[in-house]
Structure formats: C-alpha cells, structure tokens
Amino acid sequence: MSLFKARDWWSTVLGEKEEFDQGCLCLADVDNSGNGQDKIIVGSFTGYLRIFSPHSVKAGDGPQAEDLLLEVHLRDPVLQVEVGKFVSGTEMLHLAVLHARKLCVYSVSGTLGNVDHGNQYQIKLMYEHHLQRTACNMTYGPFGGIKGRDLICIQSMDGMLMVFEQESYAFGRFLPGSLLPGPLAYSARTDSFITVSSCRQVESYKYQVLAFATDADKKQETEQQKLGSGKRLVVDWTLNIGEQALDICIIPFNQSASSVFVLGERNFFCLKDNGQIRFMKKLDCSPSCFLPYCSVSEGTVNTLIGNHDHMLHVYQDVTLKWATQLPHVPVAVRVGCLHDLKGVIVTLSDDGHLQCSYLGTDPSLFQAPKVESRELNYDELDVELKELQRIIKDVKSQGVWPMTEREDDLKVSAVVSSSLDSVSQATNVEVGADSVPSITVKITLQNRVVLQKVKLSLYVQPPLVSTCDQFTFDFAVPDMTSVVASSVYLKRSYLPSELEGNVVVSYSKPTGIPRVTQCKFRLPLKLICLPGQPSKTASHKLTIDTNKPPVSLPGLFPDFASQSDDDQVNVMGFRLLGGSRVTLLASRTSQRYRIQSEQFEDLWLITNELILRLQEYFEKQGIKDFACSFSGCIPLQEYFELIDHHFELRINGEKLEELLSERAVQFRAIQRRLLTRFRDKTPAPLQHLDTLLDGTYKQVMALADAVEENQDRLLQSSAGLRSATHLLILLVRLWQKLSADQTAILEAAFLPLQEDTQELGWEETVDAAIAHLLKTCLSKSSKEQALNLNSQLSIPKDTSRLKKHITLLCDRLAKGGRLCLSTDAAAPQAMVMPGGCTPIPESDLDERSLEESAELFTNHKHLIAETPVPEVAALQGVLE
C-alpha cells in the first residue's frame, strides 16, 4: 500500500534476546538539561534500563558509543517507564520505573567531562515502594487538581488501583467486577481514571470517588460494599465497545475539552469527556500500537497507528493522510525532539529494534562522473608505490600501538640498597627482642615534558612498612630529575607473603589527561631473617628436585654464611624475625634440596629464594637448561588447616561485631532512660540504671578490644594463608611443569587482589574462581560448561565446598587437564600421573567424602620419608 519507507535517521538493536512491550519506551528531558532536547528511555523485561541521546549518522554508519548515555541492570523486569514530577519539594523531572513487585523513582544527572571521554551520566534512587500485589501498569498526573507535582496510580493484576502520593502510599481500591486488568489512563481535565474492563467496556472513575470509598485490603470487601457498609465505589460512565482494548490515550484540545482515544483489536475510537463517541474508524490491519497528537488544523487530532504488517499509518481524525513502511513491527511509538530535529518518530519492536525515523523521501543526487581520458604515467606511479611501501614498513617496525610517547613522559626507577641501613629506621615495632633492620629504597623520577599533580605512592606487603609512602612533585619545566628515599622494615612479628614492592606514580599531562606509571623492586631476604642454627627435627618438610649437581649452600647464600659453617656446605639455618626457624639441606648424592620448618607457611620465602638463586647461579655459569621439579605429594592437609583457621577468625569477627552492635544499642537505650530521669522535674529513683550503664560500658569496651584483637589475628592469618597459597602454586607449577600463562591463571584464581573483608572474603572469592575453572577449561564434558555459576558472593557456612574444589582442581591437573582462558581449548583428561598420585574415577569423584579426596594429595608431615632409602640416609647424614 505504501509507496514510501520511513527514512532511517538513527537506529540500534538493544541487547541480545531481550523482550519489550508498549510501556517500555518513553521520551522526555529526563536529565533536566533545559535545552528542549528529549532523551529516549527504554526498559526491558530482562531488567536493563537504557537512556539514549541519538545523533545523526551517515549512511552505512552504525550508532556511536556516545549516543548511549546510561545502561544499568536493575535485575527485576521493567514493566513500564514514565517521567514526571515525582519527588516532593522540587518540580524537577524524575524517572519512575515499574517492576512486578516494586516501584522505583530515580534522579538522572550528568557530569561534564574535561577530557575526550565525554560526559558521564548516573542515576540515584530517590525512593521506592514495595508492592504487596503484582503490578500490571501505571499512570500518573496531578490527581485531585494539585499543582507542581504528579502522583502515581498502579493497577495490579487482580484489578486493584494503588495510589502513591510521591514518597508515601495513599490508598488502594478494587475496581468492581474486575477480572483481568486493562489499559489505564488519567484525564486531568475531569480528574478521573479511564480503563477498559474485562467486560469489554470503557469505564471512568472519579478520583474523589476512589479517595472517599471504603478502603479495600481484600477483594472480598467489594461484596460488602454492595450491602451498604461504607461508601460504594460507583463508576462515572461506561461505554461498551465490544472488543478488548490495546491502549488508551487522552489528548486535551484546550482547557474546556479533551478526547479519550481507545485502540481496539479491530477499531479505533475517539470519545468525549462524558463517554459519548466523537468518531470511530474500522482498521484494515491488526494494530500493534498508537499515539494521538495535536494536529496543525484546529479541531482535529492526528494519530499514528502501527500494525503487524510493518506499516505505520497517519490519520487525521478518520482520514488516512500518510502510510509508511517500517523494518519491524512496532509495539510502542513516540514523537519527540531529538538533536534540534522536531517531530522525530521513535518506534520500538518486541525484540529490541529501536529506530528514529522521519516521513518523506530523499531525492537522488547521484550523477555519473565524467570519464577522464588522460594517459597514465607509470613511472610516477612506481615512485609513489615505493614511497607508500616504505611508509608502511616504517609503521610496522614501530608497532601497531606506539607507546613511546606515553612512556617517555615520565621515567621511574627504584633501586634497593645493597646493604642494610647502618642505623635502623624502624620505629614502634612489635617483633620482640630482635633488633629490626631497615633498608633504603631510592626512587628516581625524570620527566620529559611539563607534568601536573605528580603523586608517588610506595607499596610493600604487610607487615612491612615504609617510613614515608607518599610523595608529591612539581615538574614545572621539562627534563627535571628528582630522587627520593624511603626505608622499609618489618613492623609486626609475622612474615610478609612477598618481598616485592611497587612504586606507582600518577600525574596529569598539560592537556588534563591523567596517566599512571609504575615500577617494581625486590627486597633482600636478610631484611626479615637472620642466620641461625640448623634444626634436626621439623614438622613440615619439602623436597625440591633439580637436573643439575647440588650447589654449595654458603656460596649460594653468602649473606647468611659464617666462618663456623665452612665445614657444613650442605646445610644452612635461617632464623626469622618472628621467632621460627627454617633449615635448608642439600643432598650429597642426589640433586635434591630439602626445606623444613615448624610452620608450613614459613617454607615459602626460603623455597622461593632458593629457586631464584639457583636460577641466577646457573645463568651466570652459562647453563640454560636448568629446571626444578617437585615429585612429592601436594600438602593440601596443612593448607586446609590454614584455611580453616582463617575462616574461623572471620566467623568470630562477624559474631563479635554483631554482639558489639547489640551492646551499643543497649547502651544508647540506657542513656535515653537516664536522660529522661534527669530531665524530669520530679526526682525519681534510678532503679540501678547507673549500675547497668557502667556494666554495659565495660562490655562495650571489652568487645571493642576483642574486635581489634581479632582483626589483628585475621591480618596475621591472611598473610600466612597468602604465603601458603604462593607455596602451593609453586609446588603445583613444579609438579605439573606449568607454563607462565597457566601459572598466571592459577595465581589469579587463588590470589584475588581485593582485601579481605567481612562482606567479601578470600574463601568465597577463590571458591567462585576455582569453580569457574572447573566448569570451563578443566570441565569433564560440555554439560558442566553449560552450568551457570551463582553471581552473588556471600560468606559460606563452612569451608568444605572450597576444600573439595581445590582437591578436584589438583586431581584434574594430575589427569592432564590444562589451564586456559578459552572454554573450547579444554584438554582431554589424559591419564598422566606424576608423583605418587593414583587416579580417581570421574564417576564417583563427586560422591567421595572430603577426607577421602584430600588423602590423595595430603602431605603426611614427613615427605622426605617417601624418597628411596639411600637418599634418605644421605640427607639425614648431613645433620648427624
């Protein structure tokens, strides 16, 4: 029927497999910019709320990123969005979002950006109402003739109208004879609500009649109204239209008249204020949505009607004025002013096709170019081609992303002093009787251009601290060099999880664009431990295998060797500043090293230092094929004990904080009672309230001290758990010969970056990461990959699930599973069993108890006893 198509001004597709309906689209100046430009607000049944400010694009170009002002996932399905004066005390426009069981009102605001990233928009929840009944739709307006604000009326699925006076709930009324909810609209001129009932008749109810009718909390109360109890809810007028309505819209002609437009399944009705029919139009196609709007001709109304034949018809009263074709079936249509273009038609389909279009045709301005008959100079073309090839080659040699400009703006380097400070800078230490040393870190900054707001931060792992960790600089001229120094020392009586530090420098370029650069440094082992006597007995032992002959330990650790140890080249002792001891042994007959200590987490730093120094030693010798391996059992049992201790401290901290909160509430209640007694003009006995106040105060102080003590113990336990985690990752890497990428994935799973808090702790974070690995790259089948993980993390009841997942991770690595970021690259579970691990049938793995699964990777305290007898004798002979 149509000779013309709707001219596409701007369009996009919202999300993937999202659904929309007629209430999901709204146009308004929701951010109160005051420039007369409307924004497009779209909500979906999957809970996404999007706000667009479209700009015209060239033919063939898609929507730009800056057109999307805001995208928020509200979790609950969005049934309808409206914009009005919904907040008391202001006439600013706010956004109302209707969910099935909740009504939320938001404030939308924008912040101007000072760089080329553009403006930033955000929404703020002003208030919300939780609904007792499932909502269907809503309408708004100045109910009762109030000025300067809008009230909201929500219709529930069982036919109840709930009226909200902005932040407060006003009343609720059941419509008489309601079976199924229909479309709902408000007429400001007559102050009435108009809907279409399940009896297929248009009904009008006065707001005053609804307000003074008997309150309805149950649907059965409407039957009592018929018996005369309270004021009866009486309909103002009705009109039988003989079909179900799709939508209702009310358009005012002037202050003395308005029209009610009803879109039926086969007809289109226009009614007067009193319910009389002004006109009706029988439609040729099944309609899907409509929008009446004022016409330029006085006394007439234009109406846009979309149908299921991809058509959009424009009627002036009952006369068809224009017909245009759309690329989709619209479920909602609006008209607004976008980017100084008035009268833009915005349509939305049920599958998320959002289009801004206008009516008319675009003239064809194409003209065939004239053919030039000049002769080509092939010599000049060859010279130009060689020049272009040279330019391309130069660009390729520089790289796709030239980072030299960004890196040369500021150069940062950190150098650790080769010796400890002659006078220790350690203050307020809690290490005990040992004198705590300190070491100086010198940081050099050199700028190439003028920089602003230069701030340097020095980070070390707790309980290591620095004498000064924040510096500021002013690089007012180019090519300046600044040097700062800070001393690092051990403050508490336990060990850090790493000896690496980090220097982070943030600054702004003259254009205002912020930049960040950083560099790392490594602290020496002698900062946290001293030479000590070797110990013959230890509770925890590890054996590291190498492929090269053993190296003299005093030569490997010259900073810990003494003259009395010259005859003991295969044993060395370390005394940590916290008080524990670690012994390092080298086998005389085999290529093995053993590390032993009384505490499992203390093995990490010495083991890591041993491997680093061995690699450095053999690199200086020109040997490149040096490798370390681990053939013992993975010490999961000791690792699980540290996890349980850390989790127990978290639970204790949560209980102590709850108890402290209860005592604080009790303390404030007693204070209010005493204040009331003291203010009373007539003296009254205190009835031992002063004694109760004193006792409660002592309990509050004792609980506060207990919370602080538990927090200190939790920090110490977190450091120990982090050290044990580093050791576990190292052993798994040596055990399975993991690559650097696979080790990085394992570290990302076991060592989250965020700090341990009561709201989000180490256990639930690591459990979610390991479960993700088990369901992706380490999955047994595609059925496991299809399982969805819980998106909400909360503190678990116990650690059994986490320990089971760690055991399962080690088991699947032992069977040949490999870590990767792609779910399609999951390696088959080959039966490769290094070490002393026996295979576990996949069918009954999940049904085994945690104890049975953990036994396969348990370190039975003396792992060296699992080695062949001659090597055990050789290792033990060192200590005899």
Side-chain angles (χ1 to χ4, degrees):
M1 176 180 178
S2 173
L3 298 177
F4 307 103
K5 294 183 179 180
R7 313 308 299 174
D8 187 2
W9 182 72
W10 180 91
S11 63
T12 185
V13 179
L14 307 178
E16 295 181 2
K17 298 182 180 179
E18 296 188 38
E19 296 182 0
F20 303 82
D21 206 351
Q22 62 182 10
C24 298
L25 178 64
C26 180
L27 265 68
D29 187 15
V30 67
D31 59 341
N32 298 280
S33 60
N35 55 9
Q37 307 297 321
D38 292 332
K39 312 298 185 299
I40 302 176
I41 304 104
V42 184
S44 70
F45 287 166
T46 53
Y48 283 95
L49 177 68
R50 300 177 177 90
I51 301 179
F52 293 92
S53 179
H55 297 76
S56 178
V57 296
K58 297 180 180 178
D61 295 342
Q64 303 299 316
E66 57 266 22
D67 294 342
L68 178 60
L69 303 183
L70 183 68
E71 182 176 8
V72 182
H73 189 205
L74 303 179
R75 297 184 181 274
D76 297 324
V78 177
L79 303 183
Q80 191 173 347
V81 289
E82 297 292 349
V83 175
K85 304 173 183 178
F86 300 133
V87 177
S88 60
T90 178
E91 293 190 5
M92 304 288 285
L93 297 179
H94 291 78
L95 176 63
V97 180
L98 178 64
H99 302 286
R101 285 281 183 170
K102 185 168 58 175
L103 172 66
C104 301
V105 175
Y106 298 92
S107 171
V108 181
S109 59
T111 304
L112 295 178
N114 57 354
V115 292
D116 45 353
H117 298 301
N119 302 337
Q120 297 179 356
Y121 287 80
Q122 60 183 356
I123 62 172
K124 179 182 179 182
L125 179 65
M126 304 303 294
Y127 62 87
E128 64 179 5
H129 294 291
H130 292 275
L131 308 178
Q132 300 297 325
R133 301 177 182 275
T134 303
C136 176
N137 51 25
M138 68 175 176
T139 186
Y140 70 98
F143 303 165
I146 59 176
K147 302 292 184 181
R149 57 175 181 162
D150 293 326
L151 307 186
I152 299 176
C153 178
I154 299 177
Q155 181 178 204
S156 65
M157 294 298 293
D158 54 357
M160 182 180 182
L161 298 184
M162 297 171 284
V163 178
F164 296 87
E165 294 183 356
Q166 296 182 339
E167 289 88 348
S168 59
Y169 172 73
F171 58 87
R173 302 289 184 266
F174 274 104
L175 298 180
S178 175
L179 181 61
L180 295 174
L184 180 67
Y186 172 75
S187 175
R189 204 191 72 81
T190 60
D191 192 23
S192 58
F193 296 100
I194 300 174
T195 183
V196 177
S197 67
S198 54
C199 299
R200 299 184 175 182
Q201 59 183 10
V202 183
E203 299 177 351
S204 175
Y205 296 90
K206 292 285 188 179
Y207 175 77
Q208 297 296 334
V209 176
L210 290 172
F212 289 102
T214 304
D215 193 10
D217 291 333
K218 297 181 180 179
K219 199 166 184 177
Q220 288 77 6
E221 292 184 5
T222 58
E223 300 296 333
Q224 298 179 2
Q225 295 175 2
K226 299 179 180 179
L227 302 178
S229 58
K231 291 189 176 181
R232 184 181 178 185
L233 183 57
V234 181
V235 63
D236 186 24
W237 54 263
T238 62
L239 175 66
N240 194 338
I241 60 175
E243 60 182 324
Q244 186 59 41
L246 301 180
D247 200 1
I248 296 179
C249 189
I250 298 174
I251 298 297
F253 283 107
N254 47 52
Q255 295 182 354
S256 60
S258 63
S259 294
V260 179
F261 293 84
V262 181
L263 179 65
E265 297 174 335
R266 295 175 299 275
N267 299 279
F268 168 59
F269 303 88
C270 179
L271 313 178
K272 297 181 181 179
D273 291 333
N274 56 4
Q276 297 179 359
I277 296 180
R278 289 186 63 240
F279 61 83
M280 66 173 289
K281 172 68 177 178
K282 183 176 178 60
L283 303 176
D284 297 330
C285 303
S286 177
S288 59
C289 62
F290 85 132
L291 178 69
Y293 62 99
C294 294
S295 173
V296 293
S297 300
E298 185 177 356
T300 61
V301 174
N302 289 354
T303 307
L304 295 174
I305 300 181
N307 56 43
H308 287 85
D309 291 340
H310 299 260
M311 299 295 295
L312 184 67
H313 293 168
V314 183
Y315 288 88
Q316 187 177 44
D317 288 347
V318 295
T319 305
L320 180 62
K321 291 295 185 178
W322 194 271
T324 185
Q325 188 175 5
L326 296 174
H328 55 263
V329 177
V331 295
V333 58
R334 299 290 185 270
V335 175
C337 178
L338 301 176
H339 201 62
D340 295 330
L341 183 61
K342 297 181 180 180
V344 179
I345 300 174
V346 182
T347 55
L348 175 67
S349 68
D350 59 348
D351 57 353
H353 285 78
L354 180 65
Q355 177 175 331
C356 301
S357 55
Y358 57 93
L359 304 181
T361 60
D362 289 337
S364 177
L365 302 178
F366 175 78
Q367 293 181 356
K370 296 182 180 179
V371 180
E372 297 183 2
S373 60
R374 66 182 180 87
E375 296 182 358
L376 298 177
N377 190 338
Y378 291 99
D379 294 335
E380 294 179 359
L381 291 178
D382 289 339
V383 173
E384 184 180 0
L385 179 61
K386 291 180 180 179
E387 179 66 19
L388 292 176
Q389 289 177 345
R390 186 189 63 81
I391 295 174
I392 294 174
K393 185 177 180 180
D394 293 341
V395 172
K396 286 185 177 180
S397 62
Q398 295 176 1
V400 180
W401 300 102
M403 304 296 291
T404 55
E405 178 184 356
R406 178 174 172 181
E407 294 175 351
D408 291 342
D409 290 342
L410 181 66
K411 292 183 179 180
V412 184
S413 61
V415 178
V416 181
S417 177
S418 58
S419 60
L420 299 175
D421 297 339
S422 57
V423 178
S424 177
Q425 302 296 320
T427 57
N428 300 325
V429 296
E430 303 174 7
V431 179
D434 293 328
S435 59
V436 179
S438 65
I439 196 167
T440 302
V441 180
K442 291 185 178 180
I443 306 169
T444 304
L445 289 83
Q446 184 177 5
N447 67 311
R448 185 179 60 86
V449 297
V450 177
L451 302 178
Q452 304 171 355
K453 302 177 183 179
V454 181
K455 296 182 180 179
L456 183 147
S457 300
L458 177 65
Y459 297 96
V460 290
Q461 290 290 332
L464 292 173
V465 296
S466 57
T467 54
C468 185
D469 56 359
Q470 299 288 337
F471 300 90
T472 57
F473 304 90
D474 185 15
F475 292 119
V477 295
D479 298 327
M480 291 180 59
T481 301
S482 298
V483 179
V484 295
S486 180
S487 296
V488 181
Y489 60 91
L490 187 68
K491 187 176 180 62
R492 303 291 298 276
S493 59
Y494 57 92
L495 294 181
S497 60
E498 290 182 273
L499 290 178
E500 286 190 354
N502 196 14
V503 177
V504 179
V505 182
S506 62
Y507 59 92
S508 298
K509 300 182 69 173
T511 57
I513 300 177
R515 288 286 184 263
V516 175
T517 184
Q518 61 179 345
C519 71
K520 294 184 178 181
F521 58 90
R522 182 171 179 81
L523 299 171
L525 184 63
K526 57 185 178 182
L527 183 64
I528 61 168
C529 71
L530 304 171
Q533 291 296 326
S535 176
K536 295 184 179 181
T537 59
S539 301
H540 306 280
K541 303 176 183 179
L542 291 177
T543 302
I544 302 298
D545 301 330
T546 64
N547 60 349
K548 299 299 176 184
V551 182
S552 173
L553 294 182
L556 203 60
F557 293 89
D559 45 350
F560 291 92
S562 59
Q563 296 181 356
S564 60
D565 295 337
D566 292 342
D567 55 339
Q568 296 184 356
V569 296
N570 295 330
V571 62
M572 181 167 288
F574 303 88
R575 184 170 64 86
L576 305 177
L577 291 182
S580 59
R581 297 177 182 272
V582 179
T583 302
L584 176 62
L585 304 96
S587 175
R588 294 174 179 175
T589 59
S590 63
Q591 303 168 354
R592 291 188 171 191
Y593 299 87
R594 185 173 73 183
I595 309 98
Q596 57 186 28
S597 176
E598 291 297 328
Q599 296 184 5
F600 176 69
E601 60 270 21
D602 292 342
L603 298 173
W604 154 244
L605 290 177
I606 305 300
T607 305
N608 186 52
E609 191 74 18
L610 171 65
I611 295 177
L612 292 178
R613 295 200 181 195
L614 284 174
Q615 292 175 347
E616 183 180 358
Y617 173 82
F618 286 107
E619 284 180 0
K620 290 182 179 180
Q621 300 293 329
I623 301 175
K624 299 182 180 180
D625 59 344
F626 171 76
C628 297
S629 61
F630 178 73
S631 58
C633 296
I634 301 298
L636 289 185
Q637 188 61 38
E638 289 79 358
Y639 185 60
F640 290 162
E641 291 176 0
L642 293 175
I643 293 177
D644 291 336
H645 178 63
H646 178 267
F647 183 73
E648 181 182 357
L649 290 176
R650 285 188 61 197
I651 296 298
N652 291 340
E654 188 177 17
K655 293 180 180 179
L656 287 173
E657 289 182 358
E658 291 179 359
L659 192 58
L660 178 60
S661 178
E662 294 177 0
R663 292 296 179 269
V665 172
Q666 177 180 328
F667 185 74
R668 289 191 295 268
I670 298 173
Q671 283 182 322
R672 287 194 295 268
R673 290 285 185 91
L674 283 174
L675 185 61
T676 304
R677 296 289 179 91
F678 291 148
R679 286 181 176 177
D680 194 359
K681 296 181 180 180
T682 304
L686 297 179
Q687 297 179 350
H688 302 288
L689 285 177
D690 54 343
T691 305
L692 185 59
L693 181 69
D694 182 65
T696 306
Y697 173 76
K698 293 179 179 179
Q699 291 181 1
V700 169
M701 297 305 296
L703 286 173
D705 294 339
V707 169
E708 290 184 355
E709 181 182 358
N710 188 82
Q711 288 178 349
D712 293 340
R713 294 175 61 192
L714 183 60
L715 290 176
Q716 181 174 352
S717 177
S718 299
L721 179 59
R722 196 173 182 87
S723 298
T725 304
H726 277 291
L727 180 60
L728 182 71
I729 295 174
L730 174 64
L731 296 179
V732 172
R733 177 174 66 86
L734 299 179
W735 173 45
Q736 288 294 318
K737 297 180 176 56
L738 301 180
S739 63
D741 294 338
Q742 293 175 337
T743 306
I745 295 175
L746 209 58
E747 290 177 349
F750 278 89
L751 297 171
L753 297 178
Q754 85 278 358
E755 296 182 358
D756 211 8
T757 61
Q758 292 292 341
E759 293 78 13
L760 183 62
W762 182 87
E763 286 80 5
E764 53 266 30
T765 307
V766 173
D767 184 42
I770 296 177
H772 175 74
L773 292 178
L774 293 174
K775 295 179 185 300
T776 53
C777 59
L778 296 178
S779 62
K780 297 181 296 183
S781 61
S782 59
K783 184 177 181 181
E784 280 191 357
Q785 296 181 6
L787 296 177
N788 293 326
L789 298 176
N790 188 9
S791 60
Q792 295 182 356
L793 298 182
S794 59
I795 183 169
K797 296 181 180 179
D798 51 38
T799 59
S800 59
R801 175 185 172 90
L802 172 61
K803 292 187 288 189
K804 186 174 181 179
H805 282 168
I806 295 176
T807 305
L808 189 59
L809 174 71
C810 294
D811 176 72
R812 294 191 178 177
L813 287 175
K815 293 183 178 181
R818 285 297 173 258
L819 299 169
C820 59
L821 296 178
S822 174
T823 57
D824 298 333
Q829 305 294 326
M831 302 303 294
V832 179
M833 301 302 299
C837 303
T838 58
I840 303 176
E842 292 291 345
S843 58
D844 64 342
L845 176 62
D846 295 335
E847 299 178 0
R848 286 175 177 261
S849 63
L850 177 63
E851 292 79 7
E852 294 176 350
S853 299
E855 286 177 0
L856 296 166
F857 302 96
T858 301
N859 178 8
H860 297 285
K861 302 294 183 180
H862 300 283
L863 296 182
I864 196 67
E866 302 294 335
T867 58
V869 175
E871 299 182 7
V872 175
L875 287 172
Q876 292 179 348
V878 175
L879 294 176
E880 294 299 333

